[in-house]
Amino acid sequence: MAPDALERKKQEKSVGLKELPGDYSSLVLRFAPNPNGPLSLGHSRGVVINSEYAKMYGGKVVLRFDDTDTKVKPPIPDAYSWIEEEFEWISGRSADIVIRASDRMPIYLDYARKMIQDGHGYVCRCKSEEFREFRNLKEECPCRNKSIEGNIADWEEMNERVIESGGAVVRVKTEMTLPNPALRDWPALRIQHKPHPMVGDKYKVWPLLDFQSAIEDHEQGVTHIIRGKDLMDSTRKQTLLYEHFGWEYPVALYWGRVKVHEYGGFSTSSIREAIDSGSKEGWDDPRLPTIKALQRRGFCSDSLREFWIDLGLSQKDISIPLQTLESFNARIIDPKTERRVFVGDPSEILLEGELPTSDLRLPRHPENPKAGNRNWEVGGPVAIQSSDVGDGVVRLKDFADVKIVDEYANIESFEKSDERRIIHWLPLKNSRKARLVIPNGDEINELNGLLEDIDLVIGDVYQLERVGFARLDRFEEDFTAVLIWLHS
RNA sequence: GCUCGUGUGGUGUAGUUCGGUCCAUCAUGCCGCCCUUUCGAGGCGGCGACCCGGGUUCAAAUCCCGGCACGAGCACCA
């Protein structure tokens, strides 16, 4: 009889995102970037995970700009619209609700005042180093037992610009004996006198992330918070605040840190510095891990979605090669990417022998005849890659077996007659000067050559035969085509 | 130091809740072959893993204890 082994069914890998815990019947999620620059590859994880879950359960995503810092990470005015557009590009839909923390300051300040009034918060005028001492010693600082009236008076002074920046902070009253030092009377609001790029100098007291985010999540009715596990203590801090207000904290889920080999560690601030110092061209410099750069190189948004969904919500810290994303992208774009020839470092040769009288008709896509043809004039000189000459016995792809001697290529057969190497080539008549720009770590490598000059559309991605995928970025004044390397 | 989190092939990932259906899934990578007028795509095959040590149990990737490693938080940044 059949052994058990034949009946045993192989286990399967579950695909897609796992079921969300908690009640997701009226799901509200949020994605909360700082508009101190456009979105990066890392941000796209938040966009994808949140928007995919919203799609799964018919929920909503709030796009919230956490722009409450004017000093360390000041917002860039243009970044608000960049991010809205990038969110839409990545997720394939626009955010359901878009809000800016800087527009909602009165709400935060009201809650802060209420917290003080209720005795759950206090104005602390210790220096940060002094407070750190108290925190480490699990001791209460002198400001902690001030009367509510005294705290309200200090609060007024903070808001009336009587107290200088750095002179006072509002703390949430927890317990100084809490085992986790991060939770002991954590800071909720501080003074910033540097004007905000969007709302000017209207406010003197600004909430910190943990406070602003907690209040706004409640205001928006957020049901699930999905964020990096570096924010686990934020959850704990905010839960204590919610207890003060008598609110129920959303379900929190986390992902671990992701490092992409090719990009290493980076931050929006560090990219901004690199651009300001001139070591990078701009936010879309192809070496950068920004969404703008990935778009410019020709990545499609589906690849980003598949990539992040495949990674899922693991709390593991991972380091992954860009190649993984590239393989997703290649699989998706290959069926719809037209072929062209790019000859890098070209050598000119002349064809000898009997030439066909009609043009050579090549498919724009080998698996999709409907895409049509590219027609080449085979008379006249042609270009081949210098490194392809070898012993001279090669097949010019889609054309003929030739033997190359010096500058001449003798046509031996149109049919494929043996196992000789197949190389790509290009009639000069059908070519134009081109430059392939290849990002390589912190460098940019450039390869000069000739590009098949047939129906080239700026912004389109082509598969350069035997080379790889690249996107046509622009034409220069002398008509040189500039291609940006995507991947092989 | 305190607190928290995570450990499955080279890289990711499924399985861990409720131990057996797991001599462990899938992808990517690498190797080989087939097909092919691309070194692309596709097809087929192969390589390769449960952090370590105890314990419970007929049975542990899965439960318990103890190590170890890595990461994060302890900012008047987000």
Side-chain angles (χ1 to χ4, degrees):
Chain A
M1 253 0 272
D4 287 358
L6 289 180
E7 291 169 14
R8 187 188 295 158
K9 51 179 179 268
K10 276 286 179 190
Q11 62 172 320
E12 285 175 9
K13 177 177 173 168
S14 68
V15 289
L17 293 173
K18 288 177 202 162
E19 180 121 324
L20 223 38
D23 177 8
Y24 44 73
S25 55
S26 55
L27 185 69
V28 180
L29 301 165
R30 42 75 150 189
F31 173 66
N34 182 340
N36 64 336
L39 260 27
S40 67
L41 178 55
H43 288 108
S44 70
R45 184 178 203 174
V47 175
V48 170
I49 299 291
N50 282 292
S51 61
E52 288 296 318
Y53 271 124
K55 200 186 292 174
M56 271 172 74
Y57 298 114
K60 291 189 188 330
V61 183
V62 177
L63 169 57
R64 183 183 78 213
F65 293 104
D66 280 351
D67 57 348
T68 56
D69 180 76
T70 63
K71 205 172 146 193
V72 186
K73 295 176 178 172
I76 295 178
D78 285 338
Y80 295 85
S81 56
W82 290 342
I83 291 172
E84 276 192 61
E85 287 160 16
E86 287 163 350
F87 182 101
E88 190 168 345
W89 180 76
I90 295 164
S91 68
R93 56 186 248 174
S94 51
D96 298 285
I97 298 155
V98 180
I99 52 173
R100 300 178 181 188
S102 56
D103 280 344
R104 301 178 56 82
M105 286 292 288
I107 296 169
Y108 311 140
L109 298 178
D110 279 355
Y111 276 114
R113 190 190 172 95
K114 182 173 190 297
M115 180 174 77
I116 295 168
Q117 193 71 255
D118 293 347
H120 295 313
Y122 62 97
V123 175
C124 173
R125 305 194 64 161
C126 298
K127 287 190 173 17
S128 58
E129 315 84 73
E130 291 168 357
F131 186 83
R132 196 176 305 146
E133 283 295 304
F134 289 120
R135 180 175 52 214
N136 291 343
L137 269 25
K138 298 189 179 181
E139 283 175 12
E140 299 183 357
C141 89
C143 316
R144 195 179 206 263
N145 294 309
K146 206 169 11 177
S147 68
I148 288 174
E149 294 69 36
N151 278 314
I152 290 293
D154 280 351
W155 168 250
E156 305 290 352
E157 288 196 1
M158 286 174 79
N159 283 283
E160 283 157 14
R161 209 185 170 130
V162 176
I163 305 176
E164 271 314 300
S165 169
V169 68
V170 176
R171 293 188 180 282
V172 176
K173 198 179 275 187
T174 63
E175 297 288 338
M176 291 311 284
T177 51
L178 254 21
N180 185 343
L183 312 187
R184 296 172 197 157
D185 285 11
W186 54 273
L189 301 98
R190 83 311 211 173
I191 299 169
Q192 288 185 130
H193 287 168
K194 187 179 172 194
H196 188 282
M198 307 310 284
V199 297
D201 60 359
K202 196 168 170 187
Y203 307 103
K204 313 301 175 217
V205 181
W206 287 83
L208 287 149
L209 171 80
D210 289 320
F211 187 80
Q212 178 272 127
S213 175
I215 300 295
E216 197 59 76
D217 284 336
H218 177 259
E219 288 288 302
Q220 299 297 328
V222 168
T223 60
H224 293 69
I225 298 172
I226 311 175
R227 58 182 166 198
K229 69 173 183 177
D230 53 314
L231 262 17
M232 276 183 164
D233 281 346
S234 280
T235 297
R236 299 179 184 108
K237 288 186 217 176
Q238 294 174 334
T239 300
L240 295 169
L241 181 66
Y242 271 50
E243 282 168 11
H244 284 325
F245 284 121
W247 301 338
E248 192 189 339
Y249 199 75
V251 178
L253 296 109
Y254 310 92
W255 56 64
R257 179 185 54 82
V258 176
K259 201 156 84 184
V260 174
H261 293 171
E262 286 77 358
Y263 295 128
F266 66 88
S267 65
T268 303
S269 315
S270 64
I271 294 173
R272 189 174 183 171
E273 280 171 32
I275 294 168
D276 289 345
S277 74
S279 68
K280 297 287 188 300
E281 294 169 10
W283 292 103
D284 63 352
D285 186 299
R287 291 165 288 187
L288 256 20
T290 55
I291 296 302
K292 288 180 181 302
L294 296 176
Q295 288 173 327
R296 189 170 173 211
R297 291 177 59 187
F299 282 93
C300 67
S301 58
D302 296 295
S303 66
L304 248 25
R305 286 203 284 273
E306 291 190 15
F307 176 75
W308 289 120
I309 291 171
D310 187 56
L311 256 46
L313 267 186
S314 152
Q315 286 187 29
K316 259 163 81 176
D317 297 321
I318 57 169
S319 185
I320 194 162
L322 192 61
Q323 202 176 36
T324 302
L325 176 64
E326 293 175 348
S327 76
F328 278 114
N329 198 61
R331 204 187 61 240
I332 296 166
I333 67 172
D334 180 73
K336 50 194 177 194
T337 304
E338 290 195 9
R339 273 52 175 168
R340 293 291 186 276
V341 168
F342 171 79
V343 178
D345 186 22
S347 286
E348 227 175 272
I349 54 172
L350 277 167
L351 295 174
E352 281 192 318
E354 200 178 328
L355 292 171
T357 49
S358 58
D359 286 355
L360 193 59
R361 293 158 67 88
L362 303 170
R364 284 171 186 254
H365 193 288
E367 271 97 48
N368 179 17
K370 274 184 281 182
N373 293 315
R374 307 122 69 192
N375 297 332
W376 286 9
E377 294 179 52
V378 288
V382 303
I384 62 168
Q385 200 172 282
S386 300
S387 58
D388 276 341
V389 178
D391 61 2
V393 179
V394 294
R395 177 170 178 80
L396 301 182
K397 184 176 179 293
D398 299 319
F399 181 56
D401 290 353
V402 297
K403 181 166 175 59
I404 302 169
V405 178
D406 298 329
E407 296 89 64
Y408 298 96
N410 192 274
I411 296 172
E412 298 182 328
S413 159
F414 290 111
E415 294 303 310
K416 191 178 182 197
S417 61
D418 52 25
E419 292 300 302
R420 64 181 69 194
R421 246 157 38 88
I422 298 166
I423 66 167
H424 60 296
W425 61 292
L426 183 62
L428 257 41
K429 280 182 188 164
N430 295 107
S431 75
R432 77 193 293 158
K433 281 207 295 183
R435 192 165 73 244
L436 181 58
V437 174
I438 305 163
N440 176 20
D442 224 27
E443 318 251 290
I444 289 268
N445 298 335
E446 297 200 335
L447 178 60
N448 289 305
L450 296 168
L451 176 65
E452 179 182 344
D453 191 19
I454 292 186
D455 287 351
L456 296 173
V457 178
I458 288 177
D460 276 6
V461 175
Y462 297 100
Q463 189 192 108
L464 307 176
E465 292 188 276
R466 291 187 67 228
V467 176
F469 295 91
R471 182 179 158 281
L472 182 59
D473 190 61
R474 63 184 186 274
F475 294 120
E476 297 192 322
E477 313 78 63
D478 67 348
F479 306 111
T480 298
V482 179
L483 295 155
I484 297 184
W485 174 251
L486 179 51
H487 51 66
S488 53

